[in-house]
Amino acid sequence: MKLTIDGKSVTAEEGQTVLECALENDISIPHLCAHPSLSPFGACRLCVVEIEGMRGYPTSCTTPAAEAMVVRTDTEALRDLRRNILALMMLEHPSACLVCGRRDLCEQYRPEAEKAGSTTGCHTCNNKEVCEVRALAEDLGFAELPVPPIYHERPLERSEPFMDRDLNLCILCGRCVRICKEHQGRAVIDFVGRGSQTRIGQAFGYSLLEAGCQFCGSCVDVCPTGSLADRYAKWHGRPEGVTESTCIFCDEACALALATANNKLVAAQAAIENVPACVLGRFA
Ligand code: SF4
Ligand code: SF4
Ligand code: SF4
Ligand code: FES
């Protein structure tokens, strides 16, 4: 089918969403909860667009592309709306650094600040070099928080093997929940609690081990914030290089992407999309 996005005539496959079609044609639409390996969820609302003949601002990640559709992705109204949506999301996130004019100098002179342990802003966050929220804030020209953000003071969870969890940074995008269900077929983690107390966790207060986690690390790999982290790799920042190899631990010989920093192997991830590695390949 044919449709028009930002004045460009594009074609879409049956079943494709407007977001998928736009990205495939190099038209960028801000998004956080959407991920190419996961089913659409429609939680963050950052991917709103204008579609002729449709009321309001539909989310492009949940709207199927249709014949003769006319879509606008980058109007002043949309940019304002996205900044407001991000501002609301950042009210429960340690987000002061996102709007601080001295951030670059601060990060230059305090490069080791993340070793402080708890993350009270980007300056103490080990995810800052690869953070999708931060990249999005920069793209949107996000410069102001309407009121000071709330810091929930949830304790850093470090008692599970291999992975740390800091729910103060979670934006409830649901990527971790979906990847565990859709790729591992496990549903180890889910949304627990209600209203403002909603968080990511395991049923009945189980630990990840008790809940049957395979420690594949897929949830860590798709998290757009610093909320889920590989306990070892997180200290090495953005890898300097990635090499493809095969795992040596069993006959399956899974394809792995090996990340290096300072000439050291710092992380191993599954190299084939939608095929998670096991705990040996990912963390051993
Ligand atoms: S998750 Fe991203 S936006 Fe949040 S503190 Fe860390 S680097 Fe900053
Ligand atoms: S490590 Fe794998 S199995 Fe465990 S919670 Fe994350 S996605 Fe699910
Ligand atoms: S832990 Fe990460 S992936 Fe999971 S909902 Fe929170 S921000 Fe999203
Ligand atoms: S990316 Fe569409 S609602 Fe989050």
Side-chain angles (χ1 to χ4, degrees), residues 5-256:
I5 306 181
D6 291 343
K8 184 175 174 183
S9 178
V10 296
T11 49
E13 303 288 325
E14 193 64 41
Q16 254 189 333
T17 64
V18 171
L19 177 67
E20 286 166 342
C21 177
L23 296 179
E24 205 173 273
N25 286 281
D26 297 323
I27 299 167
S28 97
I29 301 177
H31 57 278
L32 273 180
C33 68
H35 187 280
S37 305
L38 300 171
S39 59
F41 192 48
C44 72
R45 301 203 64 81
L46 281 157
C47 67
V48 284
V49 291
E50 293 172 357
I51 299 180
E52 277 183 17
M54 272 194 198
R55 286 173 50 183
Y57 299 97
T59 47
S60 58
C61 71
T62 54
T63 306
E67 181 67 36
M69 206 175 227
V70 178
V71 183
R72 283 180 292 276
T73 73
D74 193 25
T75 64
E76 198 46 53
L78 286 170
R79 282 193 290 275
D80 268 356
L81 187 55
R82 289 177 189 139
R83 276 192 289 268
N84 287 334
I85 292 168
L86 187 63
L88 283 175
M89 194 185 284
M90 290 298 102
L91 288 183
E92 295 191 60
H93 191 92
S95 49
C97 299
L98 290 180
V99 294
C100 176
R102 296 184 164 209
R103 191 177 75 188
D104 291 345
L105 273 177
C106 178
E107 285 173 8
Q108 187 181 339
Y109 291 109
R110 295 203 296 180
E112 303 294 321
E114 63 262 31
K115 298 205 169 146
S118 65
T119 300
T120 52
C122 303
H123 66 306
T124 49
C125 184
N126 51 63
N127 192 54
K128 59 178 174 280
E129 289 181 8
V130 290
C131 179
E132 291 184 41
V133 174
R134 209 163 116 120
L136 191 80
E138 276 165 27
D139 279 358
L140 292 176
F142 184 66
E144 206 178 335
L145 285 163
V147 291
I150 298 161
Y151 184 66
H152 282 290
E153 300 197 30
R154 292 172 174 142
L156 177 64
E157 298 173 28
R158 297 206 48 175
S159 55
E160 306 281 358
F162 313 116
M163 307 188 296
D164 289 346
R165 187 159 67 185
D166 183 349
L167 292 179
N168 297 298
L169 306 179
C170 177
I171 54 166
L172 297 175
C173 69
R175 285 190 189 179
C176 55
V177 172
R178 278 174 288 153
I179 201 141
C180 193
K181 273 194 190 118
E182 294 172 16
H183 292 203
Q184 270 292 2
R186 290 245 148 212
V188 170
I189 43 179
D190 212 329
F191 295 97
V192 297
R194 298 172 70 179
S196 63
Q197 298 306 311
T198 307
R199 60 184 177 80
I200 297 299
Q202 299 78 248
F204 312 116
Y206 286 167
S207 68
L208 283 175
L209 266 176
E210 289 165 338
C213 174
Q214 299 295 295
F215 297 95
C216 65
S218 303
C219 49
V220 173
D221 297 340
V222 292
C223 180
T225 71
S227 186
L228 304 180
D230 175 330
R231 187 169 300 139
Y232 175 69
K234 73 177 187 179
W235 303 116
H236 296 280
R238 189 190 295 276
E240 285 156 9
V242 176
T243 315
E244 290 218 356
S245 186
T246 45
C247 181
I248 54 166
F249 287 111
C250 81
D251 294 345
E252 293 285 329
C254 292
L256 293 177

